[in-house]
C-alpha cells in the first residue's frame, strides 16, 4: 500500500542526503524547570519498569522510570531509535535523524543523575521537534528547499524549554511547504504516511509529528497550529493534543528574515502531541516556561478555579450546511455519554456564530498572507503548494484597509461572545471533522475540494484559531480501522478544563495507539 502513495524518501534516503549534515548542537544535561527532583544515584529499592518495550511507555512513565533508576536514559533513547529505524522508512515521519546527538545527550543525562544532580520533569525522555522551528545549528527548512541557508543561531523557545527540562530530541519531523497545508508533503522530504492507513492523510501541518508519536517514535511530539495543525493531525493519527491559548507557550525563530504578521502570531500556537492526555499535560507545563524573546507570552497559571457544581458541556450543534457522516455523529454521541458518566452535564446547543468566526479567520489569515508573504512563497514552492493555496483563498473576501480594520475588530466581538458563553458552559464538545479522513493529497485535487475540506469538513477546527482559545483533541472511536477524534474547547487560559474533559473520555475509550501497534507488527 505504501508504494502506491509514498515517494521513497526517509531518514535513510533523500532526507538524510538533503538535510543530514553534521552540525554542532549544544546539549543541556543540567535541566532547569518548575519542579526539580534530586534522585538517588543508584536504583531505588522497589523500582519497577513499566510493562512492555520502553518505546511503548508514556512520557510520565518514562520520566518516573529514569528518575527511579528502573531504566537509564541511554537504554530509553536506544529503544526509541530502534523503533524509529524499524517503522520510519515506510512512514517518512522523521526526516532528520538526530540519533548520534541524542545518545551523547543520554549518556550525559545518566552521568548527571549518577552524581545526584537535580532532574527536570522530562529528564532523559525522548521527544521529536517539528522542522519549522529553530534548532540550533540546523537550517529551518519548513518544508522548503530554498530555506537551506536559514541556519538557526539558537534554539526556539519551545526547543529550549524541552531541553532545559531534560528531554532528549531524537529527530525532526516533516511538515508541508511553509507549514501551510493540512496535508504533509513537500519537494524536500516527500510525503508522510498515516500509520493507520497509507490511503488517508496523516494531517498537517504537524503531520510528521502526529504520525511519529502514534507509531511509537518519541513519547511527545512538538507541533504548532494556526488553522488546525495540531488538532487535525491528532485526529488523523489517533493521538491527543492541546492547542493552547495564544501566549501560553512562547515562540520565536531567530533565523526568520522578518517578523511575523501580527494576526498570524496572535492566531498561532506551539503545542504537544502525545498518545496519553497526561503526557500532553506534562509537556504543556514544560513548553510554557517563560522566554523573553516572545513579547506576547503570558505568565498565566496552568490551573484555574473549578467551576461550581457539575460542569456543563455544550455539545456544539452542527450547522445545517455541513454534511455529517454517521460515524462522526456516533463518535460525538459516545464522547458525550462518556462525559455524562464522568459527572459532566452535556446539552446540545448552538455555539456563538461558528460560521462567522470561521469566515473571520479565513479573511484575516488569507489577506495578511497575500500582502505580507504570498509573492515570496510562490517563487520557491511547488505546483502542489500553488494548488492548495489557491484553493484556500477561494472562500476569503479581498479586504481593503477599512474592511481589514472591521475584520480585526470583529475578532474581538467573537472572542467576547465565546467568553460569555463559557460562563454557562465551561467546555464545548465539537467535531474535528464531520467526514471521514481524506486521502494523502486531497488538497491538490481542485480548489473546490480544498474549500470543501476547510469550510465543509473541518470548520470547527480552524475557527478556533481566530479566537485564540485552547482546544484539546482526544481519540473517541475507531471506525473502519481509522481513528476519530473529538475536540474539547474551553475559555482563555483554561487548558486544564479542556484536558480534564479529554482525560475523562480517554479513561473510557483507552489509548488507541495500543490497537495501532498490533496492526503494525
Amino acid at each position: 500500500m505504501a508504494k502506491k502513495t509514498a515517494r521513497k524518501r526517509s531518514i535513510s534516503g533523500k532526507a538524510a542526503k538533503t538535510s543530514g549534515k553534521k552540525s554542532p548542537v549544544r546539549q543541556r544535561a543540567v535541566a532547569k524547570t518548575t519542579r526539580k527532583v534530586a534522585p538517588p544515584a543508584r536504583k531505588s529499592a522497589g523500582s519497577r519498569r513499566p510493562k512492555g518495550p520502553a518505546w511503548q511507555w508514556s512520557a510520565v512513565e518514562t520520566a518516573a522510570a529514569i528518575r527511579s533508576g528502573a531504566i537509564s536514559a541511554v537504554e530509553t533513547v536506544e529503544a526509541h531509535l530502534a523503533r524509529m529505524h524499524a517503522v520510519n522508512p515506510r512512514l517518512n515521519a522523521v526526516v532528520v535523524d538526530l540519533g548520534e546527538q541524542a545518545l551523547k545527550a543520554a549518556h550525559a543525562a545518566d552521568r548527571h543523575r549518577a552524581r545526584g544532580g537535580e532532574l527536570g520533569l522530562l529528564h532523559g525522555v525522548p521527544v521529536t521537534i517539528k522542522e519549522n522551528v529553530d534548532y540550533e545549528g540546523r537550517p529551518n527548512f519548513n518544508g522548503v528547499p530554498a530555506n537551506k541557508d536559514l541556519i538557526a543561531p539558537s534554539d526556539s523557545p519551545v526547543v529550549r524549554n524541552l531541553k532545559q527540562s531534560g528531554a532528549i530530541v531524537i529527530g525532526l519531523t516533516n511538515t508541508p511547504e511553509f507549514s501551510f497545508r493540512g496535508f504533509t508533503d513537500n519537494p524536500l522530504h516527500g510525503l508522510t504516511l498515516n500509520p493507520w492507513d497509507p490511503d488517508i492523510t496523516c494531517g498537517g501541518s504537524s503531520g510528521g509529528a502526529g504520525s511519529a508519536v502514534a507509531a511509537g517514535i518519541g513519547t511527545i511530539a512538538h507541533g504548532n497550529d494556526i488553522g488546525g495543525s495540531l488538532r487535525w493531525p491528532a485526529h488523523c493519527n489517533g493521538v491527543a493534543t492541546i492547542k493552547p491559548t495564544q501566549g501560553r507557550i512562547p515562540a520565536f525563530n531567530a533565523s526568520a528574515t522578518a517578523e511575523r504578521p501580527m494576526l498570524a502570531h496572535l492566531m498561532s500556537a506551539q503545542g504537544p502531541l502525545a498518545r496519553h492526555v497526561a503526557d500532553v499535560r506534562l509537556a504543556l507545563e514544560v513548553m510554557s516556561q517563560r522566554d523573553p524573546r516572545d513579547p506576547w507570552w503570558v505568565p498565566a497559571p496552568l490551573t484555574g478555579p473549578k467551576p461550581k457544581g457539575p460542569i456543563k458541556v455544550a455539545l456544539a450543534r452542527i450547522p445545517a450546511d455541513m454534511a455529517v457522516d454517521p460515524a462522526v455523529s456516533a463518535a460525538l454521541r459516545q464522547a458525550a455519554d462518556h462525559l455524562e458518566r464522568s459527572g459532566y452535564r452535556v446539552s446540545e446547543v448552538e455555539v456563538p456564530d461558528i460560521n462567522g468566526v470561521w469566515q473571520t479567520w479565513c479573511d484575516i489569515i488569507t489577506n495578511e498572507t497575500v500582502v505580507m508573504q504570498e509573492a515570496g512563497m510562490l517563487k520557491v514552492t511547488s505546483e502542489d503548494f500553488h494548488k492548495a493555496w489557491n484553493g484556500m483563498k477561494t472562500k476569503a473576501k479581498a479586504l481593503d484597509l477599512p474592511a481589514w480594520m472591521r475584520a480585526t475588530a470583529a475578532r474581538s466581538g467573537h472572542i467576547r461572545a465565546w467568553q460569555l458563553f463559557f460562563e454557562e458552559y465551561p467546555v464545548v464538545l465539537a467535531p474535528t471533522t464531520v467526514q471521514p479522513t481524506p486521502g494523502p493529497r486531497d488538497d491538490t485535487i481542485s480548489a473546490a475540494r480544498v474549500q470543501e475540506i476547510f469550510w465543509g469538513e473541518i470548520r470547527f477546527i480552524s475557527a478556533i484559531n481566530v479566537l485564540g482559545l485552547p482546544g484539546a483533541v482526544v481519540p473517541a472511536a475507531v471506525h473502519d480501522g481509522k481513528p476519530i477524534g473529538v475536540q474539547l474547547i474551553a475559555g482563555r487560559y483554561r487548558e486544564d478544563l479542556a484536558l480534564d474533559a479529554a482525560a475523562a473520555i480517554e479513561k473510557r475509550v483507552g489509548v488507541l495507539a495500543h490497537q495501532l501497534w498490533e496492526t503494525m507488527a
Side-chain angles (χ1 to χ4, degrees), residues 218-485:
T219 62
I220 295 165
H222 155 263
N224 33 49
D225 188 318
I226 195 171
S229 293
L230 282 164
R231 292 157 293 150
W232 177 229
H235 161 87
C236 295
N237 295 285
V239 296
T241 192
I242 184 75
K243 182 202 81 66
T245 311
Q246 188 281 320
R248 168 69 75 186
I249 296 176
F252 174 70
N253 284 326
S255 68
T257 57
E259 293 284 351
R260 295 190 78 183
M262 183 179 69
L263 269 297
H265 196 111
L266 293 180
M267 293 193 297
S268 67
Q270 307 294 316
L273 299 103
R275 298 181 291 270
H276 301 255
V277 173
D279 292 351
V280 171
R281 199 187 299 269
L282 176 61
L284 177 65
E285 179 177 354
V286 166
M287 291 179 173
S288 62
Q289 298 305 302
R290 175 182 180 270
D291 192 296
R293 294 173 293 175
D294 186 347
W296 299 101
W297 179 80
V298 177
L302 285 165
T303 57
K306 187 175 181 179
K308 295 179 180 179
I311 296 176
K312 295 175 65 177
V313 175
L315 173 59
R317 186 166 293 134
I318 299 173
D321 65 332
M322 296 182 76
V324 186
D325 186 87
V328 172
S329 296
L332 282 167
R333 288 195 302 269
Q334 189 69 54
D337 182 61
H338 292 330
L339 290 173
E340 285 273 356
R341 292 169 64 192
S342 300
Y344 292 82
R345 295 293 177 264
V346 183
S347 303
E348 184 174 359
V349 296
E350 199 89 31
V351 297
D353 194 14
I354 193 68
N355 295 349
V357 171
W358 185 93
Q359 190 65 56
T360 300
W361 168 80
C362 183
D363 291 346
I364 287 176
I365 195 170
T366 302
N367 281 269
E368 198 170 67
T369 301
V370 167
V371 172
M372 301 288 288
Q373 299 166 287
E374 182 183 53
M377 290 195 305
L378 293 180
K379 287 180 182 178
V380 297
T381 46
S382 67
E383 185 61 30
D384 282 349
F385 177 91
H386 295 186
K387 290 178 183 177
W389 170 236
N390 287 332
M392 293 179 203
K393 293 195 298 183
T394 56
K395 188 70 176 173
K397 305 184 186 80
L399 304 178
D400 57 14
L401 182 57
W404 166 261
M405 296 174 74
R406 286 192 292 270
T408 56
R411 174 179 179 267
S412 297
H414 287 309
I415 294 172
R416 182 179 301 108
W418 276 73
Q419 283 296 105
L420 291 170
F421 185 80
F422 288 127
E423 291 293 298
E424 183 174 2
Y425 297 96
V427 177
V428 172
L429 171 62
T432 49
T433 179
V434 296
Q435 284 293 311
T437 304
R441 293 194 180 95
D442 265 27
D443 64 336
T444 64
I445 293 174
S446 66
R449 178 62 181 132
V450 177
Q451 184 180 136
E452 183 178 63
I453 293 168
F454 278 87
W455 169 252
E457 297 178 12
I458 65 170
R459 192 181 310 175
F460 277 90
I461 292 182
S462 300
I464 302 308
N465 289 85
V466 76
L467 301 171
L469 297 172
V473 164
V474 66
V478 175
H479 177 73
D480 195 23
K482 303 169 186 66
I484 298 175

Side-chain angles (χ1 to χ4, degrees), residues 45-65:
S47 297
R48 291 190 304 171
R49 291 168 64 106
K51 295 180 180 179
W55 62 264
Q56 294 185 356
W57 304 349
S58 71
V60 171
E61 291 172 330
T62 303

